[in-house]
Amino acid sequence: MPGMVAFGRRWNVGSDDLVIPSVLEIFLRVAWITGIAVVFQLHKDTFNCQGGHLLKTYYIGILTIMALLTIIAICTAYLSLQGTIVHTAPRRNIPKLMYLKLGVTIPELGWNVVGSYWAFSDSTGCDIHVIDAVKGAVITGFILAAMIIIALAITFDPLGAKKRGFGDVSSSQDADGQLESSESGQMISGMSTAAHRAWRSRCRFLCCCLSGDEHSNSAFNDIAQLLADFFEEEVDLVPTDVAAGMVLVKIEQDKATQHLSSVYVNPPITNANMSTANVSTDLMQEGQHSNGTTPGQTSATRCAPKEWMTIDMMAHYMKFASASYGWPLYVFSHLCTGVCRLSTSCSVHAYKSFPDRRNTEKMDCCEAVRDCIAEERDCPLCCSCARPLEYVENDNCCLCNTATIKKVTEIVEEDIVYANFHNKVYEIPFFVAFDHSCGSVVIAVRGTLSLRDVLTDLTADSDTLEIEGIEGSHAHKGMIQAAKFIKAKLESKGILSSALQQVEGYRLVITGHSLGAGTAALLAVLLKPQYPNLMCFAFSPPGGLMSVPASQHCEDFICSVVLGKDIVPRLSVSTMQDLKVKTLRALKDSTQPKHKIFATGCWHALCKLSVSEDDRHLLEESSNISNYRTAERDIEEALQNAILSCTRSRITNRILYPPGQVMHIVETEADSGCCGSPTFEAMWSHPKNFLDIIVSPRMLADHMPDAVTKALEHLQERNARIQHTAHQQAVAV
């Protein structure tokens, strides 16, 4: 910090972010200079061909230019290593080096044009090695130019000019050195409006393929305001500053406790003791969670988990939640064999290429193609063979999503009651199927898989959730709309009533992962009055989902599953504000350069090492800040503003939690290390214990459906071994 100012505007890169780019440039240019110098030395007496004088001039010029650029890169790397994140004075000359580099780069481009002309059009009769060397130099030069253009595009700040003007307030100060109130207010208002417009434009650009319907426009405005408020420029930080702050927060969390666990836990859960585990709200003393703050009022007791909330049931219905993602997740999970595996399940009707078997026989795609070849017919693609199914809406031409449902859940086509893959903002795909193995009718809701789903996720304001007899119930606005869409679709087509009539005595089960988990939980709340015995499995549900009264109401029919350090069950507006405060505080207290912080973070991420004494110096406060008092004051003011904003957010905004009973699966510490395979333990937890974001390399990986599935399968295998051992001991006695 701050962002580097050059050419009259601020850029999204700090003066201490140029170490790695400069080192890479040094290696590339040294190799380049060495190769050209060797060729020039070996063939300096053979420049008698056509245009040889131009070639000799090119060699001498390009060697001189590259030597200058290499020296500039060395100086840039050296200066970028100096100082700390806050102490920028030793790096104050880096912008001058950038101007100097630009002054040398422009002639380099001109020299490349000269080399291109000679090498590709005027090199008749010259030694082939000389020609190839020039061509390689020219191509490398243009590649470097392209990389510079890409780097400029990445680091370009659309509000850079405005931020530069906002930071230079000397001309707007009165005699006392203070901004006049009207001018200050206009500046801040202008910045806020500009930031809102910028974030709205970014959202529209990223989601340019979406139609501009009413829901999309409303979501764009809500999300832009949320992001503009959260990323309000209280201090001049660049993205790498935030990343370094996150690394420091992780080290601080590791320092506080070597075993990162945000929750108090009961003994490990097995299928045998799961239903009888005792759960109380005072899992933390006096209702406190892991950071020592009191999240809110707690009730005296919590319901014990129901007997159906077992690991076997969770693992079983996780298959349905994964299947709802369709073919993209399946192919991603099986990169080499996914397409071939699905092809055997893509059921098609041979009615176009095989009229004699129309409507009488089903084949898979591979069989259809083989028959085409055998009968010397034109082989149509799978999509030309597939006949749309009446109970499937908006699947692709090959019915690949439907095929994935059958493949993952191991059900037959006749067991799929209804599948809808329609996707818009607040309208997400789902399917309904019979599960004869467990005697249930399953509704599986898809999680986030498109930009439309992201807009639904980010519409994070709370809205009223109507629950009879429960006051003060609120939930995630976007997911309430999605749950109401599914409920309306089910009722308009009479899907559930018809399905449950076909299989008398079956129970309704609703499941989903991520966005699908939050929507499934809210759909369960909406359908509970009509189907009192329904069950819901919410895998990796959003943390900012529902208020305390609603979460407590769901304890006897919703079971949530959270894996490890998954960020999503801990993610809400209030927890993000809290993480912002921790990040700013860590940056303020750190006295180490950014490259050392990143090196430590990468080392710990790769080998899962705990904090050592050598790493604790990264968190030590500086006792000598006289040389960078201004930057220290800026970040201190930003920290105080962030603390006030976080406090205000906790007062004005409703704190939302994961739904119902929460089973937390944690990776044990025994197998940590670079090559260790994870082992897991499961324990019941309280929704209020997920109010801290744990910074970890696993915070995103633990959210993936495959990771949750593997953890549940591991627990299943472990429980099977425990039960087998217990059985053998009982027989022996």
Side-chain angles (χ1 to χ4, degrees):
M1 67 172 289
M4 194 165 60
V5 177
F7 308 105
R9 68 180 303 115
R10 176 193 179 275
W11 298 80
N12 274 326
V13 62
S15 56
D16 51 356
D17 292 331
L18 304 178
V19 178
I20 294 179
S22 297
V23 170
L24 292 176
E25 182 182 0
I26 291 168
F27 279 112
L28 183 59
R29 290 196 181 276
V30 168
W32 190 3
I33 291 173
T34 303
I36 292 180
V38 169
V39 173
F40 180 73
Q41 180 64 29
L42 293 176
H43 301 277
K44 62 181 179 180
D45 297 328
T46 61
F47 294 156
N48 299 321
C49 56
Q50 181 180 350
H53 64 285
L54 184 62
L55 171 64
K56 189 172 184 178
T57 303
Y58 170 78
Y59 266 98
I60 295 173
I62 199 66
L63 285 172
T64 303
I65 291 173
M66 286 192 297
L68 289 174
L69 288 172
T70 303
I71 294 173
I72 294 173
I74 292 173
C75 295
T76 302
Y78 174 77
L79 288 181
S80 189
L81 288 170
Q82 307 307 307
T84 66
I85 295 177
V86 178
H87 187 195
T88 60
R91 304 190 297 270
R92 60 184 177 274
N93 290 322
I94 283 186
K96 297 178 182 178
L97 288 175
M98 295 297 101
Y99 293 135
L100 181 60
K101 179 171 182 158
L102 177 64
V104 181
T105 302
I106 292 176
E108 182 188 27
L109 292 176
W111 229 251
N112 277 334
V113 173
V114 173
S116 300
Y117 170 77
W118 183 89
F120 293 97
S121 65
D122 195 27
S123 58
T124 305
C126 294
D127 188 277
I128 188 64
H129 298 94
V130 176
I131 299 174
D132 290 342
V134 175
K135 288 182 178 179
V138 167
I139 293 173
T140 305
F142 283 121
I143 290 175
L144 279 176
M147 293 173 63
I148 292 174
I149 293 173
I150 293 172
L152 290 175
I154 293 174
T155 59
F156 180 79
D157 183 359
L159 298 178
K162 296 183 177 64
K163 292 173 183 176
R164 175 63 175 160
F166 181 70
D168 185 12
V169 298
S170 58
S171 61
S172 303
Q173 291 177 336
D174 59 16
D176 296 328
Q178 301 294 329
L179 280 171
E180 294 181 4
S181 60
S182 59
E183 295 177 355
S184 177
Q186 290 173 2
M187 281 188 178
I188 295 174
S189 176
M191 281 291 296
S192 177
T193 303
H196 181 272
R197 287 200 302 266
W199 278 110
R200 184 173 57 189
S201 299
R202 289 167 182 168
C203 291
R204 289 186 178 278
F205 175 76
L206 292 174
C207 307
C208 58
C209 57
L210 304 185
S211 59
D213 57 19
E214 182 180 354
H215 285 167
S216 298
N217 292 331
S218 175
F220 285 141
N221 288 326
D222 291 344
I223 294 168
Q225 188 61 53
L226 174 67
L227 295 175
D229 291 342
F230 183 78
F231 293 105
E232 183 180 0
E233 293 299 328
E234 299 162 333
V235 65
D236 191 357
L237 297 177
V238 297
T240 54
D241 292 333
V242 178
M246 299 279 280
V247 173
L248 292 171
V249 170
K250 180 188 183 321
I251 295 174
E252 180 66 31
Q253 291 175 339
D254 287 345
K255 179 182 175 182
T257 170
Q258 292 295 337
H259 180 60
L260 277 179
S261 176
S262 66
V263 295
Y264 172 90
V265 296
N266 287 323
I269 294 173
T270 64
N271 285 329
N273 67 6
M274 179 173 264
S275 62
T276 59
N278 182 30
V279 181
S280 62
T281 55
D282 55 353
L283 295 174
M284 291 290 187
Q285 291 294 328
E286 299 181 358
Q288 294 184 342
H289 57 94
S290 61
N291 65 357
T293 61
T294 303
Q297 193 174 13
T298 58
S299 59
T301 58
R302 279 177 63 85
C303 298
K306 299 301 179 181
E307 60 182 8
W308 50 266
M309 297 180 182
T310 63
I311 291 173
D312 286 341
M313 292 285 280
M314 295 173 193
H316 178 74
Y317 286 108
M318 183 62 204
K319 295 179 181 178
F320 287 84
S322 297
S324 65
Y325 282 96
W327 69 267
L329 178 63
Y330 188 85
V331 173
F332 176 78
S333 302
H334 307 82
L335 290 177
C336 298
T337 61
V339 175
C340 294
R341 291 185 182 188
L342 280 183
S343 66
T344 61
S345 298
C346 289
S347 177
V348 295
H349 290 267
Y351 70 98
K352 183 174 182 179
S353 299
F354 304 93
D356 55 314
R357 289 186 282 180
R358 182 177 301 170
N359 295 332
T360 61
E361 184 178 346
K362 293 182 181 180
M363 303 180 295
D364 64 51
C365 295
C366 296
E367 182 184 353
V369 172
R370 286 196 300 268
D371 284 359
C372 285
I373 296 174
E375 299 181 19
E376 297 183 352
R377 298 172 180 263
D378 293 334
C379 295
L381 295 176
C382 178
C383 58
S384 66
C385 297
R387 182 180 65 182
L389 302 175
E390 295 179 358
Y391 52 83
V392 177
E393 296 183 5
N394 299 107
D395 199 354
N396 57 29
C397 55
C398 294
L399 301 177
C400 292
N401 292 309
T402 307
T404 303
I405 294 174
K406 295 185 293 180
K407 188 75 175 179
V408 175
T409 61
E410 300 178 349
I411 61 176
V412 297
E413 187 173 297
E414 289 72 17
D415 289 336
I416 300 177
V417 179
Y418 176 76
N420 188 330
F421 299 100
H422 166 81
N423 189 204
K424 292 180 66 176
V425 179
Y426 306 148
E427 300 174 5
I428 57 180
F430 69 98
F431 72 89
V432 182
F434 293 124
D435 176 24
H436 298 298
S437 62
C438 292
S440 60
V441 175
V442 182
I443 303 175
V445 186
R446 197 189 77 181
T448 303
L449 196 63
S450 69
L451 291 175
R452 298 176 177 87
D453 299 332
V454 173
L455 294 181
T456 303
D457 284 319
L458 292 179
T459 309
D461 291 339
S462 62
D463 199 0
T464 301
L465 178 63
E466 297 180 0
I467 303 177
E468 185 177 355
I470 305 295
E471 297 182 359
S473 296
H474 297 83
H476 188 287
K477 179 180 178 180
M479 296 181 194
I480 288 180
Q481 298 298 322
K484 289 181 177 179
F485 162 76
I486 296 176
K487 182 174 183 289
K489 184 70 69 172
L490 294 173
E491 291 177 345
S492 64
K493 294 181 175 293
I495 295 171
L496 289 183
S497 57
S498 174
L500 291 172
Q501 286 177 1
Q502 295 180 44
V503 284
E504 187 174 352
Y506 276 33
R507 193 172 189 174
L508 179 62
V509 177
I510 308 175
T511 187
H513 173 269
S514 189
L515 167 64
T519 304
L522 296 174
L523 179 63
V525 172
L526 298 178
L527 294 178
K528 178 68 173 176
Q530 299 171 251
Y531 306 96
N533 65 339
L534 67 78
M535 304 183 300
C536 177
F537 290 95
F539 300 97
S540 306
L545 183 62
M546 57 177 61
S547 58
V548 172
S551 180
Q552 292 177 343
H553 170 73
C554 301
E555 290 171 1
D556 62 344
F557 63 93
I558 295 181
C559 176
S560 296
V561 179
V562 177
L563 174 61
K565 303 173 181 70
D566 185 356
I567 186 176
V568 173
R570 298 174 169 88
L571 196 61
S572 65
V573 175
S574 59
T575 57
M576 286 296 293
Q577 291 283 1
D578 182 62
L579 181 62
K580 183 179 180 180
V581 170
K582 292 178 180 178
T583 302
L584 289 174
R585 182 179 289 115
L587 290 174
K588 181 183 77 69
D589 293 342
S590 177
T591 60
Q592 298 300 316
K594 194 183 297 181
H595 67 274
K596 287 187 178 180
I597 296 173
F598 282 139
T600 302
C602 291
W603 178 249
H604 286 278
L606 291 174
C607 288
K608 302 180 182 179
L609 300 177
S610 59
V611 176
S612 64
E613 292 298 326
D614 294 336
D615 301 325
R616 299 184 190 276
H617 69 278
L618 296 174
L619 304 171
E620 295 174 357
E621 294 190 35
S622 172
S623 59
N624 181 16
I625 59 173
S626 59
N627 293 330
Y628 44 103
R629 179 70 63 182
T630 301
E632 177 73 15
R633 184 174 63 250
D634 290 344
I635 198 168
E636 177 65 32
E637 291 176 357
L639 175 59
Q640 295 304 320
N641 290 336
I643 292 174
L644 290 176
S645 178
C646 182
T647 304
R648 183 169 57 250
S649 176
R650 288 181 177 273
I651 295 174
T652 58
N653 298 328
R654 298 179 181 89
I655 300 179
L656 305 180
Y657 305 90
Q661 304 284 357
V662 181
M663 191 190 77
H664 189 200
I665 303 174
V666 295
E667 182 178 341
T668 59
E669 200 175 20
D671 292 323
S672 63
C674 291
C675 302
S677 57
T679 58
F680 300 95
E681 297 287 349
M683 53 277 296
W684 291 112
S685 179
H686 193 290
K688 290 187 178 181
N689 289 322
F690 293 89
L691 292 180
D692 282 320
I693 294 177
I694 295 178
V695 180
S696 168
R698 297 290 310 174
M699 61 196 302
L700 296 178
D702 282 347
H703 184 68
M704 298 302 292
D706 284 355
V708 179
T709 299
K710 290 178 181 178
L712 289 170
E713 291 175 349
H714 173 88
L715 291 173
Q716 271 189 305
E717 294 173 0
R718 189 203 65 178
N719 289 346
R721 290 194 300 268
I722 292 175
Q723 293 174 2
H724 179 69
T725 302
H727 177 71
Q728 287 183 328
Q729 292 176 349
V731 171
V733 172

